């Protein structure tokens, strides 16, 4: 038996000690076995068996492994070797792991709160341990803190997080006309509860432009659109939906803390956002993406480039901010315009940018059809799948998800030759331009893995936790599925719930029967609602699906 050691130590003596330790017979094998057991314990929190082997392979370990090992721990991969924490990025990554380890999600929220400036804005990204990073004018970064905090509290019931103290960092302010700066930060000496951190982020984000929509600054979720609103007048339609959703979930937390005046003011602002979207953002068949500083619309049917963008169409569904009639039409338009069957991909926008004026930003520097510039950006594609499931389009939601699963792109030798990247991890992007249609782009280091896990588990298989007290199963699966099983280990107590879901031979539209350990439970609004017993035991949940 030969053992090769690869590592790093602070001294030669420590290296000698490691060599001596692993030179002992069986030592390396025992360490490997312990490592495997640790991974099995972590990744085994969720286990599924469905009619889709590709879905099973990814949900049963690979997506959580990619998210934890690469996104949270390593923060580095083949195509992007940085090591930095991204403010919006790692918050979303950690959200996907709440079912595996909610303490990890909680710690990530506290870490990011401590990288907020007292003024409410945040470091776009930073490098530990000195916390040098970039201060920017991005519109969305700071809002991911209240967005994920509210969601975490809803799932776990851990309201104590809102009172946890966290510090701030400080650095010089950006100069007029300065879009961003790489700065050394220092602790400000001030601390505040996480709730206050979230409040400062929201309050800083309430300014609106000429159409009553949020200012875009030097980019929203799409960093490449950094010139759309850099002069301070451009507006983001997607930001209107996003801020609406943040307020919708944070208002109850404010009211519960006695912050009633602020909750009422936020509710009024949310209503104004919805009215502004309805009055100005509708383009006739879908929602526009933004307005430039000079008033030129982006994402309009009359344009030659970026006629439609997937983000506003998907978030119209996810937020419920606008009329069902327009929402359905927007989603139909997204399906027709952006789903590309020949490459089995979902484009971020169409047509790509090339020579448009005014220029949207550095996104125009990408080859048309590559990455954010009209290729598939898998992160956003997962939001389209989630929206499709939320509309109850059960067959189509699964079709879209399976189309995006990397395993599916290695079904045949021809598929492998086209895709060209690892089929067991998610790729951030897939090319949509000949002769490379269907070729995978950057793999491993992508927040798409976390969203794919959440969409598969929460939107398709339908499992969520509420207030840390009950499990809710609301499947969105095709009628053709005879059923599936889902085993879920409740974090922190070892209780395990094994859901055995069966169709009744008709439509799998809603839950019609639930039994917990043989005792009948009444379905609630077409879902199975199961109280959590923190007894460390295994519980059997039998679920039957049927028609309305």
């Amino acid at each position: 038996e030969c053992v090769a050691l690869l590592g790093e130590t602070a001294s030669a003596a420590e290296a000698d000690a490691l060599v001596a330790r692993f030179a002992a017979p069986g030592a390396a094998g025992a360490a490997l076995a312990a490592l495997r057991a640790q991974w099995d314990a972590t990744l085994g929190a969720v286990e599924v068996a469905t009619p889709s082997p590709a879905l099973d392979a990814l949900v049963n370990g690979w997506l959580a492994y990619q998210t934890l090992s690469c996104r949270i721990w390593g923060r580095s991969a083949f195509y992007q070797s940085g090591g930095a924490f991204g403010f919006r990025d790692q918050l979303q990554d950690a959200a996907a792991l709440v079912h595996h380890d909610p303490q990890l999600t909680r710690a990530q929220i506290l870490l990011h709160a401590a990288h907020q400036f007292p003024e409410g804005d945040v470091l776009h990204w930073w490098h530990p341990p000195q916390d040098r990073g970039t201060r920017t004018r991005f519109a969305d970064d700071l809002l991911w803190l209240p967005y994920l905090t509210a969601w975490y509290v809803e799932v776990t019931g851990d309201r104590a997080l809102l009172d946890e103290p966290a510090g701030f960092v400080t650095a010089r302010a950006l100069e007029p006309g300065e879009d961003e700066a790489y700065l050394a930060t220092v602790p400000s000496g001030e601390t505040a509860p996480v709730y206050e951190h979230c409040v400062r982020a929201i309050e800083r984000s309430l300014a609106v432009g000429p159409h009553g929509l949020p200012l875009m600054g030097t980019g929203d979720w799409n960093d490449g659109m950094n010139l759309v609103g850099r002069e301070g007048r451009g507006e983001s339609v997607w930001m209107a939906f996003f801020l609406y959703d943040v307020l919708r979930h944070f208002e109850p937390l404010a009211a519960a803390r006695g912050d009633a005046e602020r909750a009422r003011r936020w509710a009024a602002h949310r209503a104004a956002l919805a009215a502004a979207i309805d009055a100005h953002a509708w383009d006739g068949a879908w929602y526009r993406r933004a307005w430039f500083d000079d008033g030129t619309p982006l994402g309009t049917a009359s344009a030659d480039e970026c006629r439609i963008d997937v983000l506003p169409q998907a978030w119209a569904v996810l937020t419920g901010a606008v009329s069902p009639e327009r929402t359905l039409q927007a989603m139909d338009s997204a399906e027709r315009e952006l789903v590309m069957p020949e490459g089995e991909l979902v484009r971020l926008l169409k047509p790509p940018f090339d020579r448009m004026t005014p220029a949207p930003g550095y996104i125009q520097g990408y080859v048309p059809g590559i990455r954010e510039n009209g290729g598939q950006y898998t992160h956003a594609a997962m939001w389209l799948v989630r929206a499709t499931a939320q509309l109850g389009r059960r067959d189509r939601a699964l079709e879209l998800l399976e189309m995006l699963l990397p395993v599916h792109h290695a079904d045949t030798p021809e598929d492998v030759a086209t895709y060209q990247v690892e089929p067991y991890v998610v790729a951030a992007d897939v090319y949509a331009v000949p002769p490379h249609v269907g070729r995978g782009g950057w793999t491993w280091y992508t927040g798409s893995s976390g969203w794919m896990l959440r969409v598969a588990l929460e939107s398709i298989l339908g499992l969520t936790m509420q207030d840390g007290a009950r499990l809710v199963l609301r499947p969105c699966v095709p009628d053709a599925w005879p059923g599936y099983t889902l085993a879920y280990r409740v974090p922190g107590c070892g209780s395990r719930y094994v859901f055995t879901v069966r169709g009744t031979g008709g439509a799998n539209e809603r839950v019609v029967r639930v039994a917990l350990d043989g005792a009948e439970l009444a379905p609630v609004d077409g879902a199975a609602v199961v109280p959590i017993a923190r007894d460390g035991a295994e519980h059997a949940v039998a679920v039957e699906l049927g028609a309305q």
Side-chain angles (χ1 to χ4, degrees):
E1 181 181 81
C2 294
V3 177
L5 294 184
L6 187 67
E8 178 183 2
T9 63
S11 67
E14 292 177 24
D16 290 340
L18 280 177
V19 170
R21 172 186 167 190
F22 287 105
L32 181 59
L35 179 64
R36 284 175 171 158
Q38 180 181 337
W39 274 114
D40 288 344
T42 301
L43 303 180
V46 176
E47 298 179 69
V48 304
T50 77
S52 173
L55 183 66
D56 295 353
L58 290 167
V59 174
N60 292 336
W62 276 109
L63 292 172
Y65 176 78
Q66 178 178 354
T67 303
L68 181 57
S69 67
C70 184
R71 296 289 296 174
I72 300 294
W73 289 348
R75 302 183 306 283
S76 186
F78 302 128
Y79 301 96
Q80 187 175 9
S81 299
F85 284 96
F87 197 92
R88 73 160 79 97
D89 298 335
Q90 271 73 45
L91 280 173
Q92 293 174 79
D93 296 329
L97 299 169
V98 73
H99 300 294
H100 297 76
D101 185 357
Q103 291 304 308
L104 186 153
T105 311
R106 191 183 204 269
Q108 202 74 32
I109 291 171
L110 290 169
L111 175 69
H112 286 242
H115 288 83
Q116 181 183 38
F117 294 101
E119 296 85 351
D121 60 324
V122 301
L123 284 167
H124 181 60
W125 55 259
W126 71 89
H127 276 114
Q130 294 181 322
D131 289 346
R132 291 176 175 267
T134 56
R135 191 171 198 173
T136 73
R137 301 185 191 276
F138 284 118
D140 71 310
D141 283 346
L142 66 172
L143 284 174
W144 287 103
L145 180 63
Y147 180 89
L148 268 302
T149 298
W151 178 83
Y152 168 84
V153 171
E154 290 172 10
V155 170
T156 65
D158 179 13
R159 289 166 181 78
L161 170 66
L162 298 172
D163 294 309
E164 287 281 357
F168 295 89
V169 293
T170 187
R172 70 167 178 84
L174 295 177
E175 300 291 340
E178 186 180 23
D179 295 346
E180 63 181 49
Y182 178 68
L183 301 168
T185 66
V186 295
S188 70
E190 178 186 3
T191 62
V194 168
Y195 175 79
E196 174 64 23
H197 282 263
C198 293
V199 166
R200 293 192 193 191
I202 292 172
E203 292 290 346
R204 188 179 174 90
S205 303
L206 299 181
V208 297
H211 300 95
L213 301 171
L215 299 175
M216 190 161 179
T218 54
D220 51 17
W221 174 85
N222 193 331
D223 296 354
M225 294 183 176
N226 58 304
L227 299 182
V228 173
R230 72 179 302 265
E231 295 175 11
R233 297 183 301 278
E235 299 162 286
S236 168
V237 176
W238 174 76
M239 273 294 300
F241 284 117
F242 182 45
L243 178 56
Y244 180 99
D245 212 43
V246 171
L247 294 174
R248 178 168 66 105
H249 289 282
F250 220 83
E251 286 160 24
L253 298 180
R257 295 174 67 87
D259 206 351
E261 187 281 327
R262 179 172 275 127
R264 286 192 295 270
R265 180 162 53 83
W266 286 347
H269 190 81
R270 180 163 57 89
L273 289 174
I277 294 170
D278 187 59
H280 303 292
W282 183 247
D283 196 61
W286 56 75
Y287 287 99
R288 294 174 177 176
R289 180 63 173 84
W291 273 270
F292 286 87
D293 288 309
D294 68 356
T296 301
L298 182 62
T300 179
S302 60
D304 295 326
E305 299 174 13
C306 191
R307 296 173 60 249
I308 181 172
D309 186 298
V310 74
L311 262 67
Q313 325 320 323
W315 279 76
V317 180
L318 299 179
T319 61
V322 289
S323 72
E325 294 77 17
R326 284 186 171 179
T327 296
L328 291 173
Q329 190 176 357
M331 283 293 289
D332 289 341
S333 297
E335 278 263 358
R336 183 181 64 253
E337 299 282 339
L338 298 172
V339 176
M340 191 172 175
E342 61 269 32
E344 299 189 303
L345 53 88
V346 177
R347 286 171 283 205
L348 178 60
L349 55 86
K350 173 192 172 185
F353 294 106
D354 191 10
R355 296 179 173 84
M356 179 179 180
T357 54
Y362 75 76
I363 188 174
Q364 202 168 32
Y366 288 127
V367 174
I370 301 297
R371 292 186 58 76
E372 295 101 318
N373 193 13
Q376 173 177 295
Y377 217 67
T378 313
H379 194 139
M382 295 314 306
W383 287 337
L384 183 70
V385 179
R386 193 173 182 87
T388 303
Q390 194 163 310
L391 287 177
R393 296 177 173 178
R394 295 174 291 112
D395 288 1
R396 187 55 174 160
L398 182 67
E399 288 173 1
L400 288 172
L401 178 60
E402 289 193 315
M403 187 176 78
L404 300 175
L405 298 178
V407 176
H408 175 63
H409 291 274
D411 286 342
T412 68
E414 292 76 17
D415 291 338
V416 172
T418 298
Y419 193 52
Q420 295 194 23
V421 294
E422 307 95 317
Y424 45 86
V425 292
V426 184
D429 60 299
V430 181
Y431 300 172
V433 59
H436 304 298
V437 174
R439 178 172 178 172
W442 288 13
T443 56
W444 283 101
Y445 196 50
T446 166
S448 312
S449 61
W451 275 108
M452 185 173 285
L453 178 57
R454 288 192 61 190
V455 168
L457 181 61
E458 300 168 10
S459 302
I460 304 298
L461 302 179
L463 184 71
T464 55
M465 185 163 60
Q466 290 182 350
D467 208 29
R470 55 198 164 271
L471 297 174
V472 178
L473 189 78
R474 191 186 303 276
C476 182
V477 298
D479 295 341
W481 271 25
Y484 62 94
T485 61
L486 192 161
Y488 182 84
R489 188 179 67 233
V490 179
C493 71
S495 300
R496 191 168 183 261
Y497 286 79
V498 181
F499 292 83
T500 303
V501 184
R502 293 287 178 263
T504 56
N508 292 338
E509 293 178 1
R510 61 192 288 117
V511 172
V512 296
R513 178 180 174 270
V514 190
L516 172 61
D517 295 329
E520 295 287 329
L521 299 176
V524 179
D525 190 26
V529 179
V530 179
I532 294 174
R534 297 184 175 273
D535 55 6
E538 182 166 303
H539 300 273
V541 185
V543 177
E544 288 186 5
L545 305 178
Q548 295 277 6

